[in-house]
Amino acid sequence: MSLSLGSRKEARSSAFGLSIGVIFVYYVLIRLGEQAGDMGLMPPWIAMWGANLVLGALGAGLLHLNQRQAAFDPLDPSSTCNGSPA
């Protein structure tokens, strides 16, 4: 993430905070998947790979948006998914 946000000090700080948030979300998804697999709510392979699949799809989607829209900034509230400012 830090490579796509630039080299300014503020961008690096934002990227660090965003990375901590992604790690937290990943941990929560892994724990929820583990519990769902233990309780038999879903097959074990889906339960344990679910977090990887969800975050992988999200990363691929953001990479696609970044390629389609050169100035996409995920931390900028005025940028939207359709390419026009809010």
Side-chain angles (χ1 to χ4, degrees), residues 4-5 60-74:
S4 66
L5 292 175
L62 287 174
L63 184 62
H64 175 71
L65 282 176
N66 196 16
Q67 293 296 323
R68 197 180 90 207
Q69 180 179 336
F72 176 70
D73 184 4

Side-chain angles (χ1 to χ4, degrees), residues 2-68:
S2 61
L3 291 176
S4 66
L5 292 175
S7 62
R8 295 187 330 254
K9 186 173 183 176
E10 300 86 26
R12 286 185 296 199
S13 299
S14 299
F16 179 74
L18 191 58
S19 298
I20 295 297
V22 168
I23 291 169
F24 177 74
V25 168
Y26 180 77
Y27 177 76
V28 168
L29 289 175
I30 283 287
R31 294 293 298 160
L32 288 175
E34 183 180 359
Q35 289 178 354
D38 287 343
M39 294 173 56
L41 297 174
M42 62 177 55
W45 73 271
I46 293 177
M48 292 313 296
W49 278 92
N52 294 328
L53 295 173
V54 168
L55 291 179
L58 181 65
L62 287 174
L63 184 62
H64 175 71
L65 282 176
N66 196 16
Q67 293 296 323
R68 197 180 90 207

Side-chain angles (χ1 to χ4, degrees), residues 68-69 77-86:
R68 197 180 90 207
Q69 180 179 336
S78 67
S79 67
T80 60
C81 292
N82 63 5
S84 62

